[in-house]
């Protein structure tokens, strides 16, 4: 069992930066694919980024603006978000899964409770 706890969300203006974090419990963190997803009101949960031993993947909508990273010694995954846009407003969820993970939320077994990111124009 893995528990995930996100933090770092908040209200920012368009063009600002924000970093959200996710701390995982358990001793096998490094073996998991870690992903970030987001869900805006009235929309389906969508893939944002993932990171594994093979590298990182990003949704086209965030490529070049967001960076995912992980610290296996601290059981933590980060999402650095730069040049934020109002359309980035959503609840951001951290997820952990077994390889390959992928873009589909069904590829991830464990989920955090989410952290709200709101970008004002």
């Amino acid at each position: 069992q893995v528990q995930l706890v996100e933090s770092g969300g908040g209200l920012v203006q368009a063009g600002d930066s924000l970093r959200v974090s996710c701390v995982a419990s358990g001793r096998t963190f490094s073996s998991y694919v870690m992903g970030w997803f987001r869900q805006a009101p009235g929309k389906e949960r969508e893939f944002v980024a993932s990171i594994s031993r093979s590298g990182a993947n990003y949704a086209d909508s965030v490529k070049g603006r967001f960076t995912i990273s992980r610290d296996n010694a601290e059981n933590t995954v980060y999402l650095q978000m730069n040049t934020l846009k109002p359309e980035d407003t959503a609840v951001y969820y951290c997820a952990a899964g077994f390889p390959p993970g992928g873009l589909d939320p069904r590829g991830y077994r464990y989920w955090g409770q989410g952290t709200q990111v709101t970008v004002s124009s």
Side-chain angles (χ1 to χ4, degrees):
Q1 186 74 14
V2 176
Q3 292 185 327
L4 303 173
V5 179
E6 302 100 333
S7 62
L11 172 63
V12 297
Q13 293 186 334
D16 285 352
S17 297
L18 193 66
R19 189 177 78 164
V20 291
S21 304
C22 172
V23 179
S25 65
R27 295 177 289 179
T28 58
F29 176 79
S30 62
S31 65
Y32 288 105
V33 177
M34 299 301 298
W36 284 99
F37 290 77
R38 67 187 181 187
Q39 188 166 17
K43 295 187 176 181
E44 293 186 351
R45 191 167 298 190
E46 66 172 0
F47 171 81
V48 175
S50 66
I51 188 167
S52 68
R53 293 176 179 174
S54 302
N57 289 294
Y58 298 93
D60 288 343
S61 60
V62 306
K63 202 171 293 184
R65 299 188 297 122
F66 290 11
T67 302
I68 188 171
S69 61
R70 66 191 297 167
D71 184 339
N72 289 334
E74 298 293 330
N75 281 16
T76 303
V77 62
Y78 304 96
L79 185 67
Q80 176 68 43
M81 302 181 287
N82 298 329
T83 319
L84 282 160
K85 304 176 181 179
E87 51 264 42
D88 294 318
T89 295
V91 177
Y92 283 71
Y93 295 92
C94 173
F98 299 106
L103 281 62
D104 191 329
R106 291 173 295 182
Y108 296 81
R109 183 170 183 177
Y110 304 105
W111 291 85
Q113 82 288 351
T115 185
Q116 176 71 47
V117 173
T118 303
V119 184
S120 64
S121 58

